[in-house]
Amino acid sequence: MIRRLVFKLLPILLLSVMSVNVFALFDVTPKPLVQVALLDRIYAEAPSLSKLAAYERAYLAGAKVAKMDAPLYGYRLQYKPFLFGGGPIDILDELPKIKAWRADVVLGPSSSDECLLLGKYLTSIMVVSSYASDVNIQQRYSNFFSTLLPDNRIMTMLAHFTHKRFPKKSVFVLMQTDCKQCVDVGKSFIKQYQALSSSNYVTSKTMFFDHIDQLDIHSLIGPHINDVIFVLTALDLKYNYFARHVANAFPGKRLTFMSDQDNWGNEGGDTPLTKTDLPYDS
């Protein structure tokens, strides 16, 4: 009976799908145009040329799909990449270009620090970030939005997770000095974690992650090899590289790392691994 019902409904379903596609193809009603500026720093996320090319292709492929689907939602979409370099204020060079192009929406950047920097320059354009999570962004700028939860809520969840998963371990928080969000997030986590347990010891340190291979790892991590090492960096590649470098300095020791970054990567790269392949817990 179910099979007969499916076969009866199938032509109706096919007809409805075909009608949507037909109307989408032959609808001549003018649709409003939305110009989307893709503002991002893909060079930092994929530093090697081969990975940069693959990352950029995947990035733009997503934009192409959105452009194709936009008419189904009553819009025409036009996008243009505005990709900037690795300098701390390189993003500002793209702003005159975006304004000259008359963008309606800016998609990006992913960094909270960069969003906070743009706030006083992009006052009349909607800015949507995928990853920016600093609580100050929407509090200060009503035209800035993010698809990610704010930092305080994320740190509350991480504090509860750490307290439940590692009830007898101390926590060592490492924050990237030149990343305002990293320092703010670290302080938020410490506050949330200490509110859960006064018996567990928490220490913290700010540091630069520019020359990881030159760090005195044994002096830095040696006193904390039994702790949960919470690493807060601006980029996931820095976290992955740092965790690998530390693990290699303590062979045979199963270290425990935690981060708000993606831990699926190899040393200095972004090739996916399974968690069982990692030489440490993350």
Side-chain angles (χ1 to χ4, degrees):
M1 182 175 179
I2 295 177
R3 182 178 298 179
R4 288 199 301 270
L5 181 61
V6 169
F7 277 108
K8 286 183 179 180
L9 291 176
L10 188 58
I12 300 174
L13 293 172
L14 289 174
L15 183 61
S16 64
V17 172
M18 290 174 62
S19 65
V20 170
N21 290 335
V22 168
F23 284 122
L25 288 173
F26 295 101
D27 185 7
V28 294
T29 305
K31 294 180 174 60
L33 174 66
V34 178
Q35 297 199 150
V36 179
L38 306 178
L39 181 61
D40 215 333
R41 185 205 299 265
I42 66 172
Y43 305 100
E45 295 290 349
S48 70
L49 291 178
S50 61
K51 288 170 181 168
L52 171 60
Y55 189 97
E56 187 171 354
R57 284 196 300 271
Y59 188 95
L60 297 179
K64 185 177 180 180
V65 171
K67 180 178 181 179
M68 293 171 58
D69 284 352
L72 300 177
Y73 298 91
Y75 295 93
R76 290 179 297 130
L77 189 147
Q78 185 175 359
Y79 64 87
K80 186 175 181 180
F82 295 87
L83 308 179
F84 54 96
I89 59 174
D90 284 358
I91 190 173
L92 298 181
D93 294 336
E94 303 302 316
L95 299 188
K97 305 174 189 176
I98 291 174
K99 291 180 179 179
W101 188 59
R102 298 183 181 276
D104 299 299
V105 180
V106 173
L107 187 60
S110 57
S111 164
S112 291
D113 287 3
E114 289 164 351
C115 283
L116 290 169
L117 178 63
L118 293 181
K120 63 180 180 180
Y121 298 102
L122 297 178
T123 58
S124 58
I125 303 176
M126 178 185 288
V127 180
V128 182
S129 172
S130 300
Y131 294 106
S133 53
D134 193 308
V135 294
N136 293 302
I137 294 174
Q138 289 191 33
Q139 291 177 357
R140 295 182 186 178
Y141 311 113
S142 59
N143 59 315
F144 277 67
F145 302 90
S146 177
T147 60
L148 195 64
L149 290 173
D151 285 333
N152 55 350
R153 292 180 62 184
I154 296 173
M155 290 305 108
T156 298
M157 289 187 292
L158 283 177
H160 279 83
F161 168 81
T162 306
H163 182 258
K164 183 177 180 180
R165 180 72 179 272
F166 309 103
K168 298 181 179 180
K169 280 182 174 286
S170 297
V171 181
F172 182 41
V173 183
L174 283 172
M175 300 164 281
Q176 183 175 324
T177 303
D178 53 342
C179 169
K180 178 184 179 299
Q181 184 190 13
C182 301
V183 177
D184 292 344
V185 162
K187 291 179 179 178
S188 176
F189 172 83
I190 292 171
K191 181 180 179 180
Q192 300 283 353
Y193 187 75
Q194 289 178 330
L196 294 174
S197 174
S198 58
S199 60
N200 286 14
Y201 192 58
V202 182
T203 54
S204 64
K205 180 179 177 64
T206 59
M207 57 175 284
F208 291 98
F209 286 81
D210 295 327
H211 303 288
I212 294 173
D213 56 338
Q214 298 178 16
L215 293 173
D216 185 351
I217 293 297
H218 285 87
S219 296
L220 176 67
I221 301 297
H224 305 282
I225 57 174
N226 295 315
D227 297 352
V228 175
I229 305 170
F230 189 12
V231 184
L232 292 161
T233 59
L235 297 173
D236 61 340
L237 291 179
K238 287 187 177 182
Y239 164 66
N240 290 325
Y241 189 90
F242 177 78
R244 284 268 177 170
H245 191 63
V246 173
N248 291 336
F250 297 93
K253 181 66 178 179
R254 190 74 181 181
L255 301 171
T256 301
F257 290 94
M258 187 170 68
S259 177
D260 62 344
Q261 295 284 3
D262 178 10
N263 71 333
W264 301 101
N266 61 12
E267 185 175 3
D270 58 356
T271 304
L273 298 170
T274 63
K275 285 192 175 183
T276 55
D277 292 331
L278 297 174
Y280 48 86
D281 295 321
S282 178

